[in-house]
Amino acid sequence: MGIYLEAAGLVFQPYVLAVIFCSAAFGMFVGAIPGLAATMATALLVPVTFFMDPVPAIAAIVTATAMAIFAGDIPGTLLRMPGTPASAAYVQDSYEMTKAGHPEAALGASLVFSALGGIFGTLVLITASPVLAEVALKFSSFEYFWLVVLGLSCAVFVSPGSPARGLVSLLIGLFAATIGIDNPAGAPRYTFGNVELYAGIQFIPAMIGLFAVSEVIRAFLARNETPKVANTRNASIFRQQFKNLVTYPVQAIRGSVLGTAIGALPGAGADIAAWISYAVSKKFSKTPKKFGTGHVEGLVEAGASNNGAMSGAWIPALVFGIPGDSITAIVIGVLYVKGINPGPTVFINDPQLIYAVFIVFLLANIIMLPLGWLAIKGAGTILSIPSRILMPIILMFCIVGSFAINNSPTGIIIMLVFGIIGFLMEENDIPIAPAILGLVLGPMLEQNFVTSMIKSQGSFLAFFERPIAAGLGIFTLVIWSIPLVLLLVNRGKSASVTPS
């Protein structure tokens, strides 16, 4: 009980509460602009967090992320332009409800069930993290190697599009992670004699480039006119939500559980969770034909799932130091800057910080309701900002943030290069998330592999000698074999079909 009181003392301070409120408003704003995802909101906050203590820094990121994931539903519902990739899963239903004259019903469902899903995910985070941390203390380099490989594998197989494109994205990130001298041999790799590259690819400028600068480039090339927005100023947002909760309790619970579970998989995140939950909702629905025509059932389940995934992604980040998604990958970088190493030892060395994060999660999902109500009311004003005004401001923040990492123009160059790479990747339907995870987990993968090989004197069997390592290794190999098995089964079926 004492640790909770100490954590509450860290959170319930005027400065921290002001940071939470301002971050919430910022997250709502970024999420409500089509194309500006929650990850971008997080990346733009990073330079600001350099001047904060750990608790307000993490509070700013947690709050902005939760708000941005919900706020992405606003332009999706009103304009059929998803504000975040997670919103794209159910944008057809929400927009059809707007065309039918009920935008408030769609936005109300997204708001209420996003908050419920986030609270559920937070409770799971609070319950599961300390238990898993005790298990993680028993991990050696063998277990961490398989855990990293499993995370990278999940990123490939559950990424949007084909696994082949996910693998290409992952290899791009892994290659970027090999640049520099931060490797077990301490030898410069792919630096081409450039001293600035000895430090490797700085993660934050690369992240800002992949997500933010690529979006600025896309907006500059598109130059779309701002469309008219439905009026939500006088809408009654919460009127039908109690009825939805009574009608679809199974969907709300299932979406929260599934979202939290998917979020806990390294590389999945809210985007994947929303798509899978919407598909599951349609699969088990009594009226599947209504999906896509303005039916609220899919919104209930997928809305609960996306914010549940946001909380779930923090489980592997806090317990193992492995990011659950691109947002927690940024958070891990911020924690390292603050001198805090994520992983099981953080529950021993800085327990008050972890419980303060739990409290912030609950606060963020609770204040989402009133702030979301205000955002919906003012959606017309927010969405009417022309991109020719907004994008230069965003680019300015990107440049300042990338330069501030090491007070070096190299950060700006890295940002611009990865901005072009990110733009080309998305233009060719190559997902960005696996590349981010490859960049973050690449050094950990190499370090644990080399360490394990030294311990085992070059024996690969040692990777299966410890019980937990063997379980993780077998599970990973099973995941790798699934595409091969499916390919052989399909070939067998094709060969058995003889022409008549």
Side-chain angles (χ1 to χ4, degrees), residues 7 81 87 95 105 109 114 144 163 176 203 217 264 309 319 368 386 410 420 448 478 495:
M81 297 171 63
S87 308
Y95 184 65
S114 289
Y144 271 108
F203 171 68
I217 296 173
V319 175
M368 183 190 298
T410 303
I420 296 172
N448 284 295
V478 168

Side-chain angles (χ1 to χ4, degrees), residues 115-401:
L116 291 177
I119 291 172
F120 176 87
T122 301
L123 295 177
V124 173
L125 175 65
I126 294 172
T127 305
S129 295
V131 177
L132 289 174
E134 293 183 9
V135 177
L137 286 171
K138 302 175 182 178
F139 276 33
S140 68
S141 59
F142 297 101
E143 286 81 7
Y144 271 108
F145 169 78
W146 283 120
L147 199 61
V148 171
V149 173
L150 178 61
L152 296 175
S153 304
C154 290
V156 170
F157 289 115
V158 304
S159 61
S162 67
R165 286 190 171 93
L167 180 60
V168 169
S169 177
L170 176 63
L171 291 176
I172 291 173
L174 288 174
F175 170 75
T178 63
I179 297 174
I181 61 172
D182 187 16
N183 56 75
R189 297 185 299 196
Y190 307 113
T191 59
F192 305 103
N194 189 333
V195 178
E196 295 287 348
L197 288 178
Y198 276 30
I201 298 299
Q202 300 165 17
F203 171 68
I204 298 302
M207 169 69 74
I208 292 175
L210 286 171
F211 283 98
V213 175
S214 62
E215 202 61 51
V216 171
I217 296 173
R218 189 173 295 105
F220 174 78
L221 295 177
R223 296 185 180 180
N224 293 328
E225 294 294 327
T226 304
K228 293 183 179 179
V229 182
N231 180 27
T232 56
R233 189 176 299 277
N234 299 317
S236 178
I237 297 168
F238 299 109
R239 181 177 297 170
Q240 298 181 359
Q241 301 322 310
F242 181 76
K243 179 182 177 182
N244 287 336
L245 188 59
V246 173
T247 307
Y248 304 113
V250 174
Q251 287 81 352
I253 296 172
R254 188 169 59 202
S256 300
V257 173
L258 190 59
T260 304
I262 293 173
L265 291 175
D271 306 348
I272 309 295
W275 282 99
I276 293 177
S277 292
Y278 184 83
V280 168
S281 182
K282 184 177 181 179
K283 176 70 175 177
F284 291 99
S285 174
K286 296 179 181 179
T287 55
K289 292 183 179 180
K290 290 185 177 181
F291 280 67
T293 63
H295 190 43
V296 76
E297 184 177 353
L299 271 70
V300 168
E301 185 154 349
S305 180
N306 56 20
N307 268 54
M310 191 271 290
S311 302
W314 281 69
I315 295 175
L318 291 177
V319 175
F320 301 108
I322 295 177
D325 58 6
S326 52
I327 293 170
T328 48
I330 299 176
V331 172
I332 287 177
V334 172
L335 288 175
Y336 279 129
V337 170
K338 301 295 180 185
I340 298 171
N341 297 328
T345 56
V346 77
F347 287 83
I348 298 174
N349 299 330
D350 300 287
Q352 70 283 355
L353 172 65
I354 299 302
Y355 286 97
V357 171
F358 295 158
I359 295 173
V360 169
F361 264 100
L362 290 174
L363 279 179
N365 285 285
I366 291 171
I367 65 174
M368 183 190 298
L369 294 172
L371 290 180
W373 178 81
L374 290 173
I376 293 170
K377 294 292 185 181
T381 303
I382 295 173
L383 296 177
S384 64
I385 299 175
S387 62
R388 66 178 181 273
I389 297 175
L390 182 67
M391 291 303 167
I393 296 174
I394 289 173
L395 183 59
M396 180 188 69
F397 276 112
C398 294
I399 293 173
V400 172

